[in-house]
Amino acid sequence: MPPRTDRVVLVLLFDDVQSLDVTGPVEVFAGASLAAGSASTGYRVRTASLDGAPVRTSSGLTLVPDHSLAEAAASAAAPHTVLVPGGQGTRRPDPRLVDWLRVNAPHARRIVSVCTGAILLAQAGLLDGRRATTHWAYCDRLARDHPAIDVDPEPIYVRDGNVATSAGVTAGIDLALALVEEDHGRDVALTIARHLVVFLRRPGNQAQFSAQLAAQTARREPLREVQQWITEHPGDDLCVASMAARARLSPRHFARAFQAETGLTPGTYVERVRVEHARRLLEDTTDGVEEISRASGYGTPEAMRRAFLKTLGTPPAEYRRRFHAPAPSH
């Protein structure tokens, strides 16, 4: 019998699962025991498939589970965390897998999905009345097929009570790190992040896409050049008239064409780029807030503070406290 403080993480496996949706969070949870210095304060990761048989991932790898889902359900205690990965196997899942989730997952203290694993949770009725997310390409489908779910396509992960859903692949690692930090503290989570060479910094409300990825790339060369210029010069004068002159268009024509080809107004695009630039400086440098506000095009710390509160829901100083990457120890 495992120690009472041992948290069992049960990972569901099925054919055509996305291998990184499994191995990313598993590496985080497995690393927590080592980082905490005692297996009794870490996690015991177990994997299970419907019949206990090996599964073939969408990339062709074969994963061998520890036991069957029936055996998992018959164990003395419910798992602390049930983790449901995504992948092509969620498109037409075995009904028995959904039934198992519907009956057994609610007994876990925490239910977690990575990527399109949210589709399985939705089919099991576990997301009804909750806010959730999934990979950006499947958010519309999730919302259409399950109107009782408040689907948010923007964040990399969402926590709603004891249910957590995340976007694709790397977002599963971000979410797992956030759960470890909740269970064992920031130092343990930071140790794991350093070992995996990822940063313990991405908040759940960070957008799945950067501004440059979220917006479409303009078809016309002058507009693409302006997009690149904005990214490389966020501190410059980026009013519509100035950008229009660079594109050799009238301000009115530029504004219409930019929105038509990128899906965002020029002002919205500039605002997103500036927030991202300021975020990176807060995360990666020791520059002062006043210096960062000027470099990011805000002019004053107060203007940057208002932009952060509007976009991220937190002021710059608090953002830096939470997500600044400390210098590595030697």
Side-chain angles (χ1 to χ4, degrees), residues 45-304:
V45 179
R46 310 298 291 168
T47 56
S49 65
L50 270 172
D51 301 315
V55 303
R56 190 171 180 81
T57 70
S58 56
S59 61
L61 296 174
T62 296
L63 301 179
V64 181
D66 295 307
H67 41 59
S68 70
L69 286 176
E71 291 169 335
S75 62
H80 177 275
T81 300
V82 169
L83 189 148
V84 184
Q88 296 176 13
T90 63
R91 312 300 190 266
R92 294 182 178 83
D94 190 312
R96 295 177 298 163
L97 184 61
V98 175
D99 289 342
W100 189 94
L101 283 169
R102 182 182 297 111
V103 172
N104 295 281
H107 298 299
R109 189 169 306 177
R110 198 158 57 196
I111 303 171
V112 176
S113 70
V114 181
C115 197
T116 55
I119 293 175
L120 299 182
L121 296 187
Q123 292 182 359
L126 300 173
L127 298 182
D128 288 353
R130 295 184 184 272
R131 180 168 164 259
T133 194
T134 186
H135 189 286
W136 63 268
Y138 294 92
C139 283
D140 286 346
R141 170 184 166 181
L142 185 63
R144 182 183 67 248
D145 294 347
H146 302 277
I149 303 172
D150 178 13
V151 179
D152 189 341
E154 290 291 328
I156 58 174
Y157 62 81
V158 169
R159 305 282 303 277
D160 189 328
N162 70 328
V163 178
T165 52
S166 63
V169 183
T170 56
I173 295 176
D174 290 302
L175 175 55
L177 285 169
L179 297 177
V180 168
E181 183 174 5
E182 177 183 291
D183 293 340
H184 299 296
R186 180 177 176 82
D187 288 345
V188 171
L190 183 57
T191 298
I192 299 167
R194 285 173 173 166
H195 177 70
L196 297 177
V197 199
V198 297
F199 289 115
L200 182 65
R201 65 167 66 168
R202 294 211 296 174
N205 63 355
Q206 182 171 319
Q208 293 193 29
F209 281 146
S210 67
Q212 293 88 337
L213 290 177
Q216 304 166 36
T217 300
R219 294 188 302 274
R220 282 182 277 180
E221 185 64 30
L223 296 180
R224 287 201 301 271
E225 290 178 356
V226 170
Q227 284 182 287
Q228 187 65 27
W229 177 264
I230 294 170
T231 301
E232 295 174 354
H233 303 84
D236 282 18
D237 177 9
L238 297 177
C239 67
V240 170
S242 175
M243 292 186 288
R246 180 164 292 276
R248 297 175 295 279
L249 297 171
S250 71
R252 185 175 180 182
H253 186 189
F254 170 79
R256 285 201 309 264
F258 190 94
Q259 183 167 6
E261 296 197 20
T262 68
L264 297 173
T265 67
T268 298
Y269 188 83
V270 167
E271 182 178 21
R272 292 186 180 184
V273 168
R274 282 176 166 166
V275 167
E276 285 184 12
H277 185 261
R279 270 189 31 239
R280 287 194 295 271
L281 293 177
L282 288 168
E283 293 167 0
D284 297 332
T285 76
T286 57
D287 295 347
V289 170
E290 185 169 352
E291 183 179 355
I292 291 174
S293 67
R294 289 197 303 270
S296 303
Y298 292 110
T300 66
E302 179 56 30
M304 187 169 81

